[in-house]
C-alpha cells in the first residue's frame, strides 16, 4: 500500500512539475515577439507587451455604439473594402479600438492586426528627426548635401552636378517637401531599370544617383512638391547622424518610448508578412495585375510585387495597427495626460501652421481650425489619421485599395465628420491604453 502511494505521489509530482513548466513557457511566450522570420525578434523588457496582443474587439463592444459599427461596415462595403483597423482616442485615452471585416481569408480583423501605413510612415520619420534634433545629432536648418552637409559621402558628392543648388537643401526642406527634386522615382522601378540599363531592381543607391544627377525643379524653400524620395533621404540622414540602422533608431528612440512595440518595416510579398499582419487586396478598378517591380517579367498582383516597399523606408514602409498609431499620436500631441516623447518645442514645430500651401512637419496639414491630418495610400491600403481641435483622434487603416487612390482619404474624412456628429457623445469613458 505505502509503495503504491509513494509511486502515485511521485507520478503526481512529475505531472504537476511538467504542467508548471508548460505554464511558464506559455507565459513567457506572451512576452516574446510573434513575427515571421528573424527580423523583429529583438528582446523586449520583461512585462512589456504590445497593445496588439492584449486588445480584443470585445473590449470595445459598447451597446450604444452598435450603430457606429454598422455604419463602418456599410462604409467598407460601399467601397468594396475587405477589412479595416479602427481606433478613437479622446484626451489621450484610447476609448475605442476594433477590427472590421476580414484580415485574411477566413480570419476576422481584430484591433491587434497590423497593416501597411503607406505615407503615414512619414509622420514616424518626422518624429525621429525631431528626436534626433533634441539629442543634438542635427538641426532642422542643417544642410543635407555638399561640403559640410550631413550626407557628404562619395555616393552623394559624385552624383550631384548642380552643387550650388543642392548645397542649399536643409533637413527642414525635406520634411516640408520643399527640396525641389525633379524626380520621385520610388514607384517607377521598371522605368528606372530601363533608364539606367540595370539588370535587376534598382537599389536605394540607384535612386539616389538618378535623382541627384538632375537639376532641381525649383530653388529649395521657394515652393513645394510632394516627394517620397525626400523622405527616403531623411531615412539616410537619420542613419548617418545616429550611426544606427534607420529602423533600429526609430524603434529605440521613438516607438518604444511611446509604447508602440509592434511596428515594423514591411516586406513586398504575402510570404514576407508578420504573423499578425493582414492580407492586402486590390480590384480591377485599381489596376489589379501588373509587371513585377524587379523586371522579372512576371505578372503579379499590384500589392504584392508591384512596388519595392522596403526601399521606401521612412517614406512609406511601416506597418502598424490603428491602436498603436493612436498611441504614437497621443505621445506627440502636447497633451500631458499621456507623457509626450518629444519636447513641447518639438511638438510646436511639427504642428506649426503656416498656410494652406505649406506642408507641416510629417503631417499633411495642421490647420488649427480643422485639426491635424496625415494620410497614406498605395495598392492594398488606405489610411487616415485625423486629430481634431477638441482632442479626439480618429484613425482608419484598410487592407484594400480603391479606385479613388489618394482621394479615398477625402471620403473617409467625410465619414469621420458625420460619425462624430452622431456618436462622439456616446463614446465610453475608458482608457484601453491602461491595459498595456
Amino acid at each position: 500500500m505505502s509503495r503504491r502511494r509513494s509511486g502515485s505521489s511521485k507520478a503526481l509530482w512529475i505531472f504537476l512539475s511538467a504542467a508548471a513548466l508548460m505554464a511558464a513557457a506559455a507565459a513567457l511566450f506572451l512576452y516574446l515577439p510573434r513575427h515571421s522570420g528573424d527580423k523583429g525578434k529583438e528582446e523586449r523588457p520583461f512585462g512589456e507587451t504590445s497593445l496588439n496582443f492584449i486588445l480584443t474587439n470585445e473590449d470595445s463592444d459598447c451597446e450604444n455604439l452598435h450603430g457606429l459599427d454598422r455604419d463602418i461596415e456599410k462604409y467598407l462595403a460601399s467601397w468594396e473594402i475587405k477589412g479595416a483597423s479602427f481606433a478613437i482616442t479622446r484626451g489621450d485615452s484610447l476609448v475605442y479600438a476594433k477590427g472590421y471585416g476580414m484580415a485574411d481569408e477566413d480570419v476576422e480583423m481584430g484591433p491587434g492586426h497590423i497593416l501597411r501605413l503607406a505615407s503615414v510612415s512619414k509622420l514616424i520619420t518626422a518624429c525621429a528627426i525631431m528626436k534626433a534634433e533634441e539629442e543634438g545629432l542635427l538641426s532642422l536648418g542643417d544642410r543635407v548635401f555638399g561640403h559640410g552637409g550631413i550626407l557628404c559621402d562619395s555616393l552623394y558628392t559624385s552624383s550631384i552636378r548642380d552643387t550650388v543648388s543642392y548645397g542649399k537643401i536643409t533637413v527642414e526642406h525635406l520634411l516640408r517637401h520643399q527640396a525641389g527634386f525633379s524626380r520621385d522615382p520610388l514607384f517607377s522601378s521598371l522605368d528606372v531599370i530601363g533608364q539606367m540599363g540595370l539588370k535587376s531592381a534598382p537599389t536605394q543607391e540607384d535612386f539616389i544617383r538618378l535623382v541627384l544627377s538632375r537639376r532641381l525643379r525649383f530653388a529649395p524653400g521657394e515652393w513645394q512638391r510632394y516627394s517620397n524620395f525626400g523622405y527616403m533621404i531623411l531615412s539616410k540622414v537619420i542613419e548617418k547622424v545616429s550611426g544606427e540602422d534607420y529602423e533600429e533608431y526609430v524603434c529605440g528612440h521613438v516607438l518604444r518610448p511611446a509604447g508602440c512595440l509592434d511596428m515594423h518595416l514591411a516586406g513586398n510579398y504575402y510570404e514576407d508578412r508578420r504573423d499578425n499582419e493582414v492580407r492586402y487586396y486590390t480590384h480591377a478598378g485599381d489596376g489589379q495585375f501588373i509587371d513585377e517591380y524587379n523586371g522579372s517579367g512576371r505578372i503579379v498582383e499590384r500589392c504584392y510585387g508591384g512596388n519595392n516597399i522596403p526601399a521606401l523606408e521612412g517614406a512609406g514602409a511601416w506597418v502598424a495597427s490603428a491602436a498603436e498609431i493612436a498611441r504614437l499620436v497621443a505621445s506627440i500631441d502636447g497633451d500631458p495626460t499621456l507623457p509626450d516623447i518629444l519636447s513641447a518645442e518639438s511638438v510646436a514645430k511639427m504642428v506649426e501652421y503656416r498656410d494652406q500651401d505649406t506642408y507641416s512637419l510629417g503631417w499633411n496639414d495642421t490647420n488649427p481650425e480643422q485639426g491635424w491630418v496625415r494620410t497614406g495610400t498605395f495598392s492594398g491600403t488606405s489610411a487616415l489619421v485625423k486629430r481634431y481641435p477638441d482632442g479626439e483622434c480618429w484613425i482608419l487603416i484598410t487592407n484594400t485599395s480603391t479606385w479613388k487612390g489618394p482621394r479615398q482619404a477625402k471620403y473617409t474624412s467625410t465619414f469621420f465628420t458625420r460619425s462624430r456628429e452622431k456618436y462622439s457623445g456616446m463614446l465610453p469613458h475608458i482608457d484601453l491604453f491602461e491595459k498595456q
Side-chain angles (χ1 to χ4, degrees):
M1 292 289 291
S2 62
R3 287 180 181 177
R4 283 197 296 270
R5 283 196 298 270
S6 176
S8 298
S9 298
K10 183 176 182 180
L12 179 61
W13 180 86
I14 293 173
F15 173 80
L16 292 175
S17 297
L21 286 172
M22 291 176 66
L28 178 61
F29 175 77
L30 292 176
Y31 294 101
L32 294 177
R34 296 158 59 188
H35 308 300
S36 300
D38 294 329
K39 199 169 187 180
K41 288 188 176 179
E42 66 278 2
E43 294 182 0
R44 293 175 179 159
F46 183 77
E48 216 176 88
T49 307
S50 167
L51 280 168
N52 295 342
F53 303 132
I54 298 174
L55 297 177
T56 67
N57 280 337
E58 287 69 28
D59 292 323
S60 295
D61 189 13
C62 187
E63 185 174 354
N64 62 345
L65 289 176
H66 286 174
L68 173 60
D69 294 335
R70 289 191 293 270
D71 287 350
I72 292 175
E73 290 166 355
K74 289 178 182 177
Y75 178 78
L76 299 181
S78 68
W79 289 102
E80 301 177 12
I81 294 171
K82 293 280 189 178
S85 178
F86 177 66
I88 305 174
T89 59
R90 180 178 57 197
D92 272 6
S93 295
L94 181 64
V95 298
Y96 210 70
K98 272 192 174 184
Y100 295 87
M102 306 305 294
D104 202 335
E105 302 300 327
D106 302 321
V107 178
E108 293 185 0
M109 185 80 76
H113 281 101
I114 57 178
L115 306 87
R116 292 173 181 169
L117 299 178
S119 285
V120 173
S121 301
K122 293 179 175 66
L123 180 60
I124 300 171
T125 300
C127 290
I129 289 292
M130 303 310 296
K131 176 57 69 174
E133 183 177 50
E134 290 184 5
E135 294 173 347
L137 301 178
L138 56 75
S139 295
L140 297 190
D142 285 348
R143 289 181 296 161
V144 177
F145 304 110
H147 180 68
I150 296 172
L151 301 178
C152 56
D153 303 351
S154 60
L155 168 64
Y156 303 94
T157 58
S158 64
S159 301
I160 296 173
R161 296 180 182 177
D162 185 357
T163 56
V164 174
S165 296
Y166 274 87
K168 297 177 182 178
I169 297 174
T170 66
V171 173
E172 185 169 355
H173 288 149
L174 294 177
L175 286 168
R176 294 190 186 277
H177 302 279
Q178 294 178 338
F181 299 123
S182 61
R183 289 288 307 273
D184 195 8
L186 301 187
F187 291 101
S188 305
S189 291
L190 292 178
D191 290 340
V192 173
I193 289 174
Q195 292 171 22
M196 300 185 71
L198 304 175
K199 295 182 179 180
S200 59
T203 63
Q204 289 182 327
E205 290 73 19
D206 291 324
F207 288 130
I208 290 169
R209 291 188 185 95
L210 177 65
V211 175
L212 299 192
S213 67
R214 307 293 183 91
R215 289 188 176 277
L216 296 178
R217 184 169 181 172
F218 54 87
E222 292 189 2
W223 197 47
Q224 64 179 17
R225 184 170 184 250
Y226 195 85
S227 176
N228 292 290
F229 177 79
Y231 269 75
M232 189 202 80
I233 290 294
L234 284 172
S235 306
K236 300 305 158 193
V237 166
I238 290 169
E239 290 184 338
K240 185 63 181 290
V241 300
S242 69
E244 297 181 49
D245 173 80
Y246 165 78
E247 185 175 14
E248 291 176 356
Y249 180 84
V250 174
C251 287
H253 296 252
V254 175
L255 299 179
R256 285 183 176 277
C260 303
L261 309 180
D262 193 32
M263 295 170 67
H264 318 274
L265 295 185
N268 283 326
Y269 302 99
Y270 182 71
E271 295 75 17
D272 298 330
R273 72 194 185 285
R274 305 279 171 170
D275 285 349
N276 59 325
E277 186 174 358
V278 302
R279 182 181 183 90
Y280 304 101
Y281 298 89
T282 56
H283 46 71
D286 186 39
Q288 193 168 12
F289 297 99
I290 62 173
D291 290 323
E292 193 171 17
Y293 79 94
N294 56 15
S296 69
R298 291 199 310 156
I299 300 298
V300 298
E301 190 171 5
R302 182 182 288 270
C303 58
Y304 286 120
N307 293 295
N308 188 358
I309 295 174
L312 294 170
E313 220 164 25
W318 286 94
V319 291
S321 67
E324 286 209 330
I325 287 296
R327 176 111 196 176
L328 176 64
V329 173
S331 300
I332 58 168
D333 63 357
D335 186 328
T337 305
L338 187 70
D340 283 352
I341 59 168
L342 296 176
S343 68
E345 181 183 5
S346 293
V347 172
K349 287 180 181 179
M350 290 186 69
V351 300
E352 177 192 6
Y353 180 71
R354 295 187 176 181
D355 55 62
Q356 62 181 1
D357 297 319
T358 304
Y359 284 106
S360 299
L361 305 185
W363 296 94
N364 292 81
D365 188 24
T366 53
N367 187 318
E369 296 181 359
Q370 299 174 14
W372 310 341
V373 179
R374 181 65 258 182
T375 62
T377 306
F378 51 55
S379 293
T381 193
S382 178
L384 174 63
V385 179
K386 189 159 186 178
R387 187 185 186 279
Y388 295 87
D390 63 5
E392 279 187 8
C393 181
W394 287 49
I395 300 168
L396 184 73
I397 313 170
T398 76
N399 66 350
T400 312
S401 53
T402 76
W403 57 90
K404 289 294 184 179
R407 291 175 292 171
Q408 187 64 42
K410 177 182 178 181
Y411 294 90
T412 302
S413 181
T414 299
F415 173 76
F416 281 0
T417 299
R418 293 173 179 171
S419 297
R420 271 168 46 85
E421 292 174 354
K422 295 168 63 175
Y423 303 110
S424 183
M426 302 179 185
L427 293 173
H429 295 279
I430 59 174
D431 185 7
L432 296 175
F433 288 145
E434 293 181 351
K435 293 177 70 69
Q436 190 171 19

